[in-house]
Amino acid sequence: MNEMNIKLIRIDGGTQSRVSIDQSTVSEYADAIEAGSVFPPIRVYFDGVSYWLGDGFHRYFAHLKAGKEGIAADVVNGTQRDALLYSVSANALHGLRRTNADKRKAVTIMLEDFEWQEWSNSEIARQCHVSPPLVAQIRKELGAHGESDIKKYKTKDGGVAEKKAPKKKEPELKEPPKEEPKPDVHDEHQEMLDALITENEMLTDRLALKIMDGTPEEKELAKSTIEDLREDLRLARIEIVALKKSRDQYQNENAQLKKQVAMLTKKLKAHEQ
């Protein structure tokens, strides 16, 4: 355990698995800190560059509110993703009691992940400290992939193990000839424009936070929320671009199929004559 500079800790990586920060708890902790109380260390993951907070968000904000520059922390080697995985199990046995919404958010985080959704319901339940039926219910609501493809079987020693069922092979379909994509002369200009837009948004955000009327922790929360929203917007833009490209591809394939149908129809009529 070490005391580290609180300003070095990053909280903008989505590693907060609760639905929200309870400000009354933050104030209560801050008062206790100012009175001399010592809290358990927070847990931080260091990836060689950044320190990601995995557990102890209420203690983190309480120290800020109390005007502390340092905070006791257990620092372990790991990535932002390691911090996120740890966070879904944090506070199950200590700290502010989790709400049902907090538990659902922890499970949802794992079921929306491309890797963790492959885990069985019982394994996700163990990680999040919830019941397997709750995981099964949320998996069904989200339509998440994974558990339905896990098959249980008995081992030679009488135990039970899990195995992912092999995927059924889809019949191979011959694709029509594709038109070669034409080089887009605007790509370079578009990249420059996107970079300028991103820089402008960052400057706008900084200015808004600068003139914002609020406490340091409220500004920090606002900064984190803005960054999360910006990231969601960036991912949405990427998805829209991908969808547009898919649409254009399907339109080209449709045009090719129409040409083939017209040609075959013409040959068929000629043969009938």
Side-chain angles (χ1 to χ4, degrees):
M1 181 187 72
N2 300 306
E3 180 161 312
M4 65 177 298
N5 187 340
I6 199 168
K7 293 181 179 180
L8 295 177
I9 301 171
R10 295 190 61 174
I11 61 171
D12 59 338
T15 57
Q16 162 62 297
S17 59
R18 289 185 185 272
V19 173
S20 62
I21 296 294
D22 186 84
Q23 293 301 327
S24 61
T25 299
V26 170
S27 297
E28 180 183 340
Y29 286 2
D31 291 341
I33 292 169
E34 290 176 345
S37 296
V38 178
F39 282 76
I42 60 175
R43 189 175 182 89
V44 176
Y45 286 78
F46 181 58
D47 61 8
V49 177
S50 299
Y51 294 89
W52 301 100
L53 182 56
D55 178 34
F57 278 82
H58 284 88
R59 282 166 281 166
Y60 168 87
F61 284 113
H63 277 74
L64 284 179
K65 189 176 182 67
K68 301 295 182 180
E69 294 183 354
I71 186 171
D74 285 331
V75 181
V76 297
N77 292 327
T79 63
Q80 173 266 344
R81 186 171 172 79
D82 294 325
L84 176 60
L85 183 60
Y86 184 84
S87 74
V88 300
S89 64
N91 301 121
L93 304 175
H94 69 274
L96 179 64
R97 187 179 182 86
R98 293 186 304 174
T99 65
N100 290 334
D102 291 335
K103 296 176 183 177
R104 288 183 64 88
K105 181 180 178 181
V107 174
T108 300
I109 287 173
M110 296 198 67
L111 289 177
E112 289 183 339
D113 183 87
F114 72 98
E115 177 186 352
W116 298 331
Q117 67 177 216
E118 298 290 346
W119 293 12
S120 66
N121 290 343
S122 58
E123 181 61 21
I124 293 177
R126 185 195 65 79
Q127 181 68 33
C128 298
H129 294 285
V130 297
S131 66
L134 176 62
V135 179
Q137 177 187 342
I138 298 175
R139 187 189 292 275
K140 184 177 180 180
E141 292 173 0
L142 296 175
H145 170 73
E147 175 72 7
S148 60
D149 297 316
I150 302 295
K151 305 298 180 183
K152 294 184 179 180
Y153 63 94
K154 291 185 177 180
T155 59
K156 291 182 180 180
D157 58 2
V160 177
E162 295 180 342
K163 181 179 180 182
K164 189 174 180 180
K167 294 182 179 180
K168 295 181 179 179
K169 291 186 177 180
E170 298 291 338
E172 294 185 1
L173 298 176
K174 293 184 178 180
E175 296 183 357
K178 297 180 180 179
E179 292 183 353
E180 290 295 328
K182 296 180 181 180
D184 190 349
V185 296
H186 300 292
D187 281 351
E188 184 177 349
H189 297 290
Q190 185 61 47
E191 289 180 3
M192 293 175 61
L193 179 60
D194 291 342
L196 288 173
I197 291 174
T198 300
E199 184 177 357
N200 181 61
E201 289 174 343
M202 291 176 63
L203 291 173
T204 302
D205 294 343
R206 289 176 184 175
L207 179 61
L209 289 170
K210 197 73 176 178
I211 63 176
M212 175 183 173
D213 184 17
T215 62
E217 57 267 30
E218 288 173 339
K219 289 186 177 181
E220 189 64 34
L221 279 174
K223 177 176 178 292
S224 177
T225 301
I226 290 173
E227 289 174 345
D228 289 342
L229 292 173
R230 289 293 187 197
E231 178 63 13
D232 290 343
L233 180 59
R234 185 183 70 83
L235 294 175
R237 286 173 176 169
I238 293 174
E239 185 176 356
I240 290 173
V241 171
L243 289 172
K244 286 182 178 179
K245 288 183 177 179
S246 297
R247 179 202 62 190
D248 293 340
Q249 179 182 344
Y250 286 130
Q251 287 178 342
N252 289 334
E253 291 175 353
N254 185 46
Q256 290 293 326
L257 287 173
K258 286 183 177 179
K259 289 179 181 179
Q260 290 184 11
V261 170
M263 182 179 65
L264 291 173
T265 301
K266 185 177 180 180
K267 286 183 178 181
L268 181 59
K269 288 182 179 180
H271 181 72
E272 290 176 347
Q273 291 176 354

